[in-house]
Structure formats: structure tokens, C-alpha cells
Amino acid sequence: VYLGGKWGPYTNNDNNDSWTLYISPQDQLVFELNGSGNNLGATDNTLASTDATPLYSAWTHVCAVFDGASNSAILYMNGSEVARGRNSAFPISTLRRPADPSLKIFFGSTNDIARSTLYRNFIGQMDEIRMWKRVLTPSEIYCNMERSLAGNESGIVLYYRCNDNNSGSLAGQIGRAHV
């Protein structure tokens, strides 16, 4: 079940895989990253994963952080770090830019939905989706997880509030799951 990302459409290589957040068939919340330069399928991907069952019983703040300086994928739930992953054989410092520049970021589905029956749309509710062009500190994540933003904060590039008639836009007009 895909929660969000820029991943696919499915091909025999990784050319359009950048990042994705999903719930696996093993009931794990997974944040998966693909760096530039290799086309090795899952071998060169960086993953952080944790048990997804806390997501089913109550509203849960989820934050997925890519830190290129430490080559890490990091997951937070309700302001606390729950998983960190690093691929020491293929450290990732930058995300892959998709070969198809027209591909969009999807929330609740993936670019691959139309071409495969392997992936399911998210059935649930999302509130406040945020995307930043910098790594947030643990304090920033914790202190802002239940606070709506103005949308013009330094470094914010996407902010969907999900509770307005106009649910959002890019570059500062948009609003709580960090991506």
C-alpha cells in the first residue's frame, strides 16, 4: 500500500525510482530511496522500516527523512525516531532524478498503479503533507508535528493541508505528514 512517492512506472530498471513510503505485505512501514548511478533493482536502495500496526489504531504522525550527509533513510512516528537505514555497499548522497521528467509525486498511490496489479491505493485519511528541501532536526519534527504552518517557512517546497477546499499547491502555499 503506497502512501506517497515518486517511484515507477515499472520498468526493467530503476530509471524512474526516486523515493517512496509504503506499507509492505509484511506489515512494515517502509521508506525506500534510490540513488543515482546504479540500476541494480533493490540491491542499491536504502531502506528504513518499522512495524506499521501503530498506524491502524489512531492518528499517527509519520515523518520520513532523507539525509544525504549521513547516507540515511530515517523514519519517525509521533516525533520519535523508530527506524534508520543505510546501505553501506551503495551509500546514497543524492536521490535519483527520474528519467521521465513529467512524472509527478503521488500520495495514496504510486506512478506504477496503472501498469501493475501488485500495488494498492491507500485507503485511509491523510492530513498535512509537508516536503522540505533540507533535513529537519529531531526537535523540529517533534515541536511541529501537531502545528499547522503558514506555508512560507524557509525550506518548505510542498505543503498540503488536506482540510481546505483548495488542498494545496507547490512552493509555499500549501499543509502534517512530513515527507
Side-chain angles (χ1 to χ4, degrees), residues 37-134:
N38 301 312
N39 285 317
L40 302 175
T43 302
D44 61 340
N45 292 352
T46 298
L47 288 90
S49 65
T50 190
D51 180 23
T53 56
L55 301 173
Y56 307 139
S57 59
W59 276 100
T60 305
H61 177 267
V62 173
C63 180
V65 176
F66 163 57
D67 184 347
S70 69
N71 312 115
S72 301
I74 310 162
L75 280 172
Y76 292 81
M77 279 190 188
N78 295 324
S80 297
E81 183 177 323
V82 294
R84 180 180 293 257
R86 185 176 187 280
N87 186 332
S88 57
F90 299 96
I92 181 173
S93 59
T94 59
L95 293 176
R96 177 182 296 272
R97 289 184 183 260
D100 181 350
S102 70
L103 294 177
K104 308 225 181 315
I105 294 172
F106 281 77
F107 296 101
S109 70
T110 180
N111 303 352
D112 199 28
I113 289 291
R115 299 188 189 173
S116 174
T117 58
L118 298 174
Y119 309 110
R120 297 188 342 218
N121 289 323
F122 172 71
I123 299 172
Q125 297 176 331
M126 292 185 192
D127 184 31
E128 294 210 10
I129 300 166
R130 303 170 184 178
M131 187 173 254
W132 301 82
K133 64 179 177 182
R134 64 180 183 83

